[in-house]
Amino acid sequence: MNKTETVPEGLRGFFEDNPRLALAFSGGSDSSYLFYAAKACGADIRAYFVKTQFQPRSEMEDAIRTARYLDGDLCIIDRDVLADGRIASNPPDRCYWCKHAVFGAISEAARKDGRDSVIIDATNASDDPEGRPGMKALKEMGIRSPLRECQISKPEVRELSREAGLWTWNLPSNSCLATRTPFGTVLTEDGLRRTEEAERRVGMLGLSDFRIRTRGDSAFVETREDQMDILDRIRPELESVLSEYYSGIIGYGIRRPGL
């Protein structure tokens, strides 16, 4: 199969018009497909992964794995987002300020590389801007979102990725570790690492798409509706694991997509 056969016409046109780019890369299914599509179309693209306290270590490992698989150019940038009080204080517009910090770091690195004229991210047509201040920040900073511009939805990204043979085609959607903590609760590195480690341990029990929300020193567990039977089956082991990290579990619920 010609690789461009797994790239829709509109997206091929985008890369023809923008042959030299910088990609904000998370290692997830959307950005991995976008990385693949750009290379399939012959674009000169470099991916930038911004390592902050909000990403679990597994995300960077996934990003490195995919870049190697694609023989792609990857730059890893360290950014201390908790040094910014507008982020660490965890206000409702935390994501807005975090996007400015992350994409500011990417813009600076891309400028040094001579790639700052076109910076893209993997926002897709299924992403709803309502209640997402981070998308406002991207617009203000001039970040392009070719998947969204070309009206390519999340299900289409997964199908195109599967056809392309990308291992990321069915990766569960993820969100940063900060989303596990209610607005107004100060974010700390220790708290974020606790969430990361607790979710890693619970994932080993069989759940694949879930969140552990912090409520004070207690936990609230959310998973997809189609995984509730797994949760019920592993509940004794799950509660045993979480008791190592939290004072108690205050409930279970259905996870809302995208959060």
Side-chain angles (χ1 to χ4, degrees), residues 177-199:
L177 293 170
T179 62
R180 318 299 200 264
T181 304
F183 290 132
T185 299
V186 174
L187 299 168
T188 67
E189 184 140 12
D190 286 346
L192 294 166
R193 293 284 77 81
R194 176 178 71 167
T195 297
E196 176 185 6
E197 183 62 15
E199 290 192 343

Side-chain angles (χ1 to χ4, degrees), residues 137-150:
L138 298 184
K139 184 176 181 180
E140 290 176 354
M141 300 180 77
I143 308 300
R144 302 284 300 274
S145 302
L147 295 176
R148 190 169 182 83
E149 291 179 25
C150 297

